[in-house]
Amino acid sequence: MMDLDMDAELDRPSNPLDLFERLAALNDWSFDRDSEDELSVSVTGGWSEYHVAITWLAEVEALHIACAFDLKVPERRRGEVLQLVSLVNEQLWLGHFDLWSSESVVMYRHALLLSGGAEPTEEQAIALVKAAVEACERYYQAFQFVVWAGKTAKEGMEGAILETVGEA
């Protein structure tokens, strides 16, 4: 087994969440700094208001982002939603969707490792939030189809991958 030394505490010049707080302020997003290591942001998308939680995990030197939308999954649709989560995750290059058991909510999750004292750039912060919101926007209707319209995971996915071209 590898012997890894992770006891060294690194002094960072700033909290990585400060960058995300500035990003939220510049975009006029509602936000709340829940604690030194947690930031909650509301981002309005085309389909929903997205609840973005960004957490600094100092012990593993990572920024974690979770993006959820208001969609409570009833127990009777849980299995089909889990199948949809699996189908959606096959399509994603960054991050993944989960069904958060305790709240029965679908959420997108991703992390940015900042090992060795690395600091996030503005571009990385923007890309992390953009990837989360775009993934939720892309698959929002698929989850709606499965939860509220009673569609199968495959039908929900087919509805999500149809892209409209042009305007009517």
Side-chain angles (χ1 to χ4, degrees):
M1 185 152 176
M2 293 186 337
D3 184 25
L4 301 174
D5 181 16
M6 300 221 15
D7 294 334
E9 280 283 323
L10 294 171
D11 288 328
R12 291 184 173 273
S14 65
N15 185 318
L17 288 183
D18 295 344
L19 177 60
F20 289 87
E21 191 171 330
R22 285 193 304 277
L23 178 63
L26 287 171
N27 284 283
D28 293 323
W29 295 330
S30 298
F31 66 92
D32 184 32
R33 190 76 174 256
D34 302 325
S35 71
E36 183 178 327
D37 295 332
E38 293 181 34
L39 177 68
S40 296
V41 181
S42 292
V43 179
T44 302
W47 296 113
S48 179
E49 183 80 16
Y50 298 104
H51 312 288
V52 181
I54 307 158
T55 307
W56 169 240
L57 305 163
E59 63 278 4
V60 293
E61 295 184 277
L63 281 164
H64 177 263
I65 188 166
C67 186
F69 40 85
D70 289 327
L71 179 70
K72 196 98 161 160
V73 178
E75 187 61 37
R76 71 187 191 310
R77 300 302 298 156
R78 185 178 176 79
E80 206 63 44
V81 168
L82 287 170
Q83 286 183 10
L84 178 58
V85 164
S86 180
L87 291 173
V88 168
N89 285 341
E90 290 176 3
Q91 303 298 311
L92 296 176
W93 285 89
L94 295 173
H96 65 279
F97 279 92
D98 279 328
L99 178 58
W100 191 20
S101 298
S102 63
E103 301 292 324
S104 294
V105 175
V106 174
M107 72 170 53
Y108 170 91
R109 296 177 52 199
H110 189 46
L112 175 65
L113 290 174
L114 298 170
S115 302
E119 293 292 323
T121 65
E122 265 185 48
E123 292 81 7
Q124 287 173 313
I126 291 166
L128 200 59
V129 173
K130 186 176 179 182
V133 172
E134 284 181 354
C136 288
E137 282 279 285
R138 176 88 169 107
Y139 296 104
Y140 178 85
Q141 285 190 305
F143 288 107
Q144 287 284 330
F145 289 157
V146 170
V147 171
W148 297 118
K151 302 291 185 188
T152 65
K154 185 179 176 191
E155 290 170 327
M157 192 66 178
E158 287 169 355
I161 60 175
L162 289 177
E163 296 213 18
T164 305
V165 178
E167 292 183 27

